[in-house]
Amino acid sequence: MQKIIVLGASGTIGQNTIDIIRKFPSRFELAGVSVHTKTDVLNALRAEFHFQDFAVTDSAAAAGYDIKHHSLERFLTETPADIVVNGIAGAAGLQASLIAVRTHRILALANKESIVMAGHLLQQEAEKYHSLIIPVDSEHSAIYSLIRAHGREAIERLIITASGGPFRTWAKERIQEATLQDALKHPTWTMGAKITIDSASLANKALEVIEAVHLFDISADRITVAVHPSSVVHSMVQLTGGEIYAQLSPPDMRNPIFAAMSYPEEPPPYLAPLDFTKPLDLHFEPPRTEDFPMLSLGFIAARKKAGYPIAFNAANEQAVAAFLRNQIRFVHLSEITAQVMQEDWSTAPKDITDVMRIDESARRRADEAVQKLQFLDSFLRCRCDV
């Protein structure tokens, strides 16, 4: 019986993890969860699973609970568990990842920002505390499995697939006029708002490239992104001899989550596999990097390393937050990120304090860029009204 902590229990990763625990009560026990503001989800889970330990990370939402349940660190440190599934979205998940590896557990990691911002430092901590990091992103989970099958020394290139998002077939001029509602209509995956916007801009794939560099100790020049609209092939590896192996499954996040929770064993039957008696779309195409510049910016950050991945992530997060508030247009996501990336981020962080300092500085610059765009937009509207 594996005891599981779920961080971000109200999100997509959290809910899918809990569904697996619900389906396999003889294999898994829900030891506790964290939520940010959605205490209704927390209360329902406590009533169903009868756990005593939890964390509410928003101070206002936590006001109705005992004070010991405010601290994520205390919750992670004091709650007995074998596996921590980190489904917290954004940079907020980094501290949780660090605490999880310091408590000698398996970290099933869906929070890609932990690796993007502090991959080297996080892996150092995992080695120090004899913890294991298993990726839960469908793409990195596939690569992780393929490397286990073929051996790291046999791998020449990683091929990360991308759905292409809702604007894959849109002309550049139409993309420039895309609305928030357009960007939130993902063709194959059901996800939170932030990651759905990232998928539309290909920022999500850029983050996955940076993540792969750290997770698999491979240079960005040995990573290819291939657009695969049906999301059936989750990633591929090219061996030194040139042959390519792929991992295929229906687009369901419960597959990679279950694989991480079952490690080192193969998970038992759960979800229906692909049905090869029916037509199967295995179409691939190169990404349109000129029309989706966030991917190119991500490769630049992955190659430069140092503080550039942190700056890329921070700028994108602030830009997406502004877009979700209808303060900027979709095309401004890459413009803001590019402006921030033009700064000098060549000093590599030595510790988490340095990471957070770079993160804060990049966010401040991104916010300034948002304000300038809003001012310009207001000015142009005034000119048009005259």
Side-chain angles (χ1 to χ4, degrees):
M1 174 76 72
Q2 296 278 73
K3 292 186 176 182
I4 313 294
I5 286 174
V6 179
L7 304 179
S10 63
T12 303
I13 296 296
Q15 288 295 297
N16 280 324
T17 303
I18 290 162
D19 183 68
I20 294 168
I21 296 170
R22 192 178 284 122
K23 293 290 197 304
F24 294 92
S26 63
R27 293 175 64 92
F28 305 115
E29 175 186 342
L30 185 58
V33 306
S34 81
V35 297
H36 186 54
T37 59
K38 295 187 178 178
T39 53
D40 55 332
V41 174
L42 168 64
N43 295 335
L45 291 172
R46 291 179 72 194
E48 179 181 359
F49 292 98
H50 310 292
F51 54 81
Q52 299 299 315
D53 298 312
F54 58 90
V56 181
T57 55
D58 178 80
S59 56
Y65 297 93
D66 187 278
I67 191 168
K68 74 175 184 178
H69 294 120
H70 289 206
S71 168
L72 188 63
E73 182 172 5
R74 184 172 177 179
F75 164 60
L76 282 169
T77 302
E78 297 182 1
T79 304
D82 305 293
I83 301 171
V84 176
V85 179
N86 187 354
I88 296 174
L94 171 57
Q95 194 62 34
S97 293
L98 284 167
I99 299 168
V101 298
R102 288 168 181 165
T103 52
H104 312 282
R105 295 166 170 145
I106 290 175
L107 173 60
L109 186 57
N111 176 263
K112 59 175 60 66
E113 290 81 2
S114 293
I115 298 293
V116 169
M117 294 174 66
H120 179 63
L121 297 171
L122 185 62
Q123 288 174 317
Q124 278 186 334
E125 291 295 283
E127 289 181 15
K128 178 179 177 180
Y129 291 95
H130 306 289
S131 298
L132 182 65
I133 301 172
I134 302 178
V136 168
D137 267 346
S138 64
E139 296 83 359
H140 299 91
S141 174
I143 293 169
Y144 190 83
S145 297
L146 290 164
I147 290 176
R148 284 182 65 201
H150 296 281
R152 186 177 299 274
E153 67 284 349
I155 306 300
E156 176 63 27
R157 176 169 293 276
L158 307 182
I159 303 163
I160 299 174
T161 55
S163 69
F167 307 144
R168 179 180 68 87
T169 61
W170 286 29
K172 183 175 183 178
E173 295 73 22
R174 188 182 175 195
I175 294 171
Q176 292 177 340
E177 302 302 322
T179 66
L180 175 59
Q181 291 69 32
D182 293 329
L184 288 171
K185 296 175 183 176
H186 196 280
T188 53
W189 293 97
T190 301
M191 306 174 290
K194 197 270 181 182
I195 193 172
T196 303
I197 300 302
D198 282 351
S199 180
S201 69
L202 293 192
N204 190 50
K205 213 50 51 179
L207 291 168
E208 289 174 5
V209 169
I210 300 169
E211 189 180 6
V213 167
H214 287 293
L215 279 173
F216 307 116
D217 191 24
I218 191 169
S219 72
D221 293 330
R222 292 170 60 195
I223 298 174
T224 297
V225 172
V227 174
H228 173 55
S230 63
S231 300
V232 169
V233 176
H234 297 286
S235 273
M236 297 172 275
V237 294
Q238 177 186 320
L239 304 190
T240 53
E243 62 270 40
I244 292 174
Y245 290 85
Q247 192 263 11
L248 288 74
S249 65
D252 190 319
M253 281 306 301
R254 289 174 294 180
N255 279 312
I257 296 170
F258 200 15
M261 290 168 63
S262 302
Y263 182 89
E265 301 174 0
E266 287 297 317
Y270 172 34
L271 302 173
L274 292 172
D275 184 354
F276 282 87
T277 66
K278 298 177 180 178
L280 192 63
D281 181 10
L282 295 181
H283 169 77
F284 298 93
E285 61 190 52
R288 294 158 49 199
T289 51
E290 289 188 6
D291 297 339
F292 297 92
M294 289 297 287
L295 183 57
S296 295
L297 291 170
F299 267 101
I300 291 170
R303 292 187 181 102
K304 287 188 172 183
K305 297 185 178 180
Y308 286 92
I310 304 169
F312 173 87
N313 178 71
N316 177 61
E317 281 196 15
Q318 296 305 102
V320 170
F323 180 57
L324 288 169
R325 294 191 297 266
N326 286 304
Q327 293 176 324
I328 60 173
R329 295 188 294 130
F330 182 79
V331 294
H332 292 149
L333 298 175
S334 59
E335 292 177 14
I336 291 167
T337 304
Q339 286 181 41
V340 174
M341 291 276 288
Q342 286 172 2
E343 302 282 340
D344 182 6
W345 308 103
S346 59
T347 301
K350 297 182 179 65
D351 52 31
I352 295 302
T353 300
D354 283 349
V355 169
M356 300 316 297
R357 177 183 53 78
I358 296 169
D359 177 78
E360 182 181 356
S361 181
R363 287 177 191 276
R364 186 168 59 250
R365 285 166 170 76
D367 289 342
E368 291 168 357
V370 169
Q371 291 170 5
K372 287 179 181 177
L373 283 168
Q374 286 184 281
F375 176 79
L376 180 61
D377 184 57
S378 298
F379 176 76
L380 291 174
R381 287 184 181 182
C382 289
R383 289 284 300 272
C384 291
D385 291 339
V386 173

